[in-house]
Amino acid sequence: MVLLSFDWFLIIEKAILISIVIVASLVIAMYETWGERKVAAFIQDRIGPDRAGFGGILQPLADGMKLFMKEEIIPNSSNKFLFVMGPGLAMLTAMMTSAVIPWGGHLEIMGRTVPLQIADINIGILYVFGVVSLGVYGVMIGGWASNNKFSLMAALRGASQMISYELAMGLSLIALLMLTGTLSLRTIVEQQSTGHWNIWYQPLGFIIFFVCALAECNRTPFDLPEAESELNFGYHQEYSSMKLGFYLFAEYVNMFISCVIMATLFFGGYDIPFVNDAHLYEIWGNWAALAQVVMLMAKVIFGIFVFMWIRWTVPRFRYDQLMNLGWKGLIPLALANMVITAVVALLKYNNWHF
Amino acid sequence: MQSLTNRVKPVDRKPMTFLEKIYLWEIAKGMMITIKHFFRRKPTIKYPEEKREFSSVFRGLHILNRDEQGRERCTACGLCAVACPAEAITMEAAERKKGEEHLYREEKYAARYEINMLRCIFCGLCEEACPKDAIYLSQTFTPSNLTRAQFIYKKDDLLIPDPNKDPELYAKALGDRKKPQ
Ligand code: SF4
Ligand code: SF4
């Protein structure tokens, strides 16, 4: 009876978790588009979309409808296979990162402990980095396959920008990892659950990470791959209908995921501040886990708001400024941060003896 | 070079200070400005539900007026068409027959009277030119139509409802706009 020794419960539990996470990320990405328009409007003294549903709450559905109804155009001179694959790849890599993120503590269901995480692998951060760097393929392939000068240029820009900023991002994280001593995201969150959030130890590291996250998500001020005024929309210029929608959507999913990772690494993840979470579990049971998920979402939504706030404040960088900032500004800073952290960590390890 | 006015401002070309060079502080200042706007009261007027307050002499779409007995005032003299700088008005005159005295006030009337609203610039000169107080500009605006032809307003579109039969509609079409003296 090989079949019975298989842990079917685990598979069902993970399948349910995966569907929930995917649906949740998509819905959140949808409402990010609405939020973006609202934030933009409010910052510009307007009120934004308010016609579809109460306060424009159905606007994302209307937008989605519109994108689905549009004519699908595949340019004759494009490489058809890659042209279709581009947006899919962008979406896939955007969604894949969510696998290692701890969304909350654990639930007790029928005597089983169900962790609210799809896979608690011990190299969580490395996995995130691996997948995030794959994200550039969506941009590259889409831009190249459209066989259009502007798209190609945008793809090149996107690739070089992502590579440059990933470096600084990685370096800023090394300092953080020296303090936590682990690569598993859940362990990192649990270490912070005493209220000692990593941002207090790594403020500089956080700023570098934040700037790089903006660049990785192609958000303003680093949205050079899709600079409308210079490149006619950049790498998705030739795309129409839902393929375009996928690119735009992937960008928002990316934004969501990077905010989640930021909250996890620097803001205590699902930890509820000023409250002993373990104690809460004794009182509330499963509700405590849900409260933790809500807490994480609150942090993430604040992060997303800051992303949007920055987007509607800061103009786009020039390309040489972008590269200067990345290579001459952020990387040396990240290196210095790393060395200082290393020295302090070593001293502390030696009980402050030289 | 000597400047012609004393309003010239020299461009500030000082090199950036350290604070400016690392951008962060300046960006934080900018973000403070935008967040202030975020919480500011919005000047938006939600159009179909709310309407902007108009000046009492606002010039909107035209109406052809009637007198107290509900007779058309226009006598097709053509003065409005002559006055119109945009040449938006066309008309055809006809003679009043016996038994039509309750319809037209004068012996001659406009059988056809058209205003092309796409040409009209809403200057109000037709209103000033009219010796019979027949044409008025009302407070109605933003007409929308699907074709250009529909923007040529016929007499049916322009004539005001009869004050004796439909006093309410008549008052509504007239609005509380004052005719400029
Ligand atoms: S408002 Fe001016 S432009 Fe319009 S019909 Fe009258 S005279 Fe002509
Ligand atoms: S509207 Fe007035 S000016 Fe124009 S034709 Fe009629 S009476 Fe004459």
Side-chain angles (χ1 to χ4, degrees), chain B residues 79-174:
Chain B
L79 283 177
C80 50
V82 175
C84 178
E87 300 189 347
I89 304 180
T90 334
M91 74 192 70
E92 244 166 48
E95 202 175 335
R96 183 177 71 184
K97 301 265 159 46
K98 264 228 156 62
E100 288 180 336
E101 283 87 356
H102 65 292
L103 289 178
Y104 310 107
R105 203 171 76 154
E106 315 290 338
E107 281 162 20
K108 185 180 151 214
Y109 70 96
R112 196 163 66 90
Y113 191 98
E114 291 174 5
I115 301 182
N116 186 342
M117 292 299 176
L118 292 177
R119 295 197 68 138
C120 175
I121 55 172
F122 300 99
C123 60
L125 287 185
C126 46
E127 184 180 22
E128 277 181 41
C130 182
K132 298 287 176 191
D133 262 358
I135 190 155
Y136 275 84
L137 265 58
S138 68
Q139 280 178 320
T140 330
F141 66 113
T142 56
S144 64
N145 270 318
L146 295 175
T147 60
R148 274 157 187 271
Q150 282 174 302
F151 276 106
I152 299 174
Y153 277 39
K154 306 276 158 26
K155 212 166 130 189
D156 294 342
D157 310 311
L158 294 166
L159 257 183
I160 200 163
D162 195 326
N164 299 321
K165 285 189 209 136
D166 259 327
E168 260 173 56
L169 281 179
Y170 174 79
K172 198 173 157 224
L174 206 56

Side-chain angles (χ1 to χ4, degrees), chain A residues 77-196:
Chain A
S77 54
S78 68
N79 182 329
K80 302 242 162 25
F81 177 66
L82 292 181
F83 189 79
V84 177
M85 198 169 90
L89 211 62
M91 200 64 181
L92 178 77
T93 49
M95 304 290 301
M96 251 162 70
T97 331
S98 55
V100 294
I101 290 166
W103 299 96
H106 50 81
L107 291 173
E108 297 278 345
I109 299 174
M110 290 184 275
R112 279 181 58 108
T113 311
V114 181
L116 290 181
Q117 183 177 17
I118 295 171
D120 182 12
I121 50 178
N122 56 5
I123 50 158
I125 295 183
L126 286 187
Y127 171 84
V128 170
F129 264 73
V131 174
V132 165
S133 31
L134 278 179
V136 74
Y137 282 101
V139 175
M140 278 291 278
I141 288 178
W144 184 81
S146 353
N147 201 358
N148 171 313
K149 288 188 206 90
F150 287 119
S151 304
L152 183 62
M153 209 110 82
L156 289 178
R157 275 186 179 191
S160 57
Q161 170 183 331
M162 286 218 186
I163 290 167
S164 322
Y165 278 77
E166 219 151 74
L167 223 68
M169 197 182 211
L171 286 175
S172 76
L173 271 192
I174 289 180
L176 178 79
L177 297 181
M178 277 192 283
L179 293 182
T180 59
T182 171
L183 286 167
S184 149
L185 286 170
R186 180 168 286 270
T187 322
I188 291 178
V189 172
E190 275 161 9
Q191 281 173 351
Q192 296 177 76
S193 63
T194 47
H196 299 281

Side-chain angles (χ1 to χ4, degrees), chain A residues 39 42-43 45-47 50-51 207 305-306 309-310 312-314 317 321 325, chain B residues 23-24 27 30-32 34-35 37-38 40-44 46-49:
Chain A
V39 169
F42 269 67
I43 282 177
D45 288 346
R46 298 182 283 116
I47 47 176
D50 71 335
R51 294 288 133 166
I207 290 174
F305 173 73
V306 174
W309 182 8
I310 289 177
W312 297 103
T313 304
V314 189
F317 275 99
Q321 287 173 330
L325 183 72
Chain B
Y23 299 122
L24 281 180
I27 286 177
M31 285 171 74
M32 281 303 121
T34 43
I35 201 74
H37 280 268
F38 192 90
R40 199 172 275 179
R41 238 181 44 121
K42 312 296 172 214
T44 309
K46 302 191 175 182
Y47 165 60
E49 294 100 55

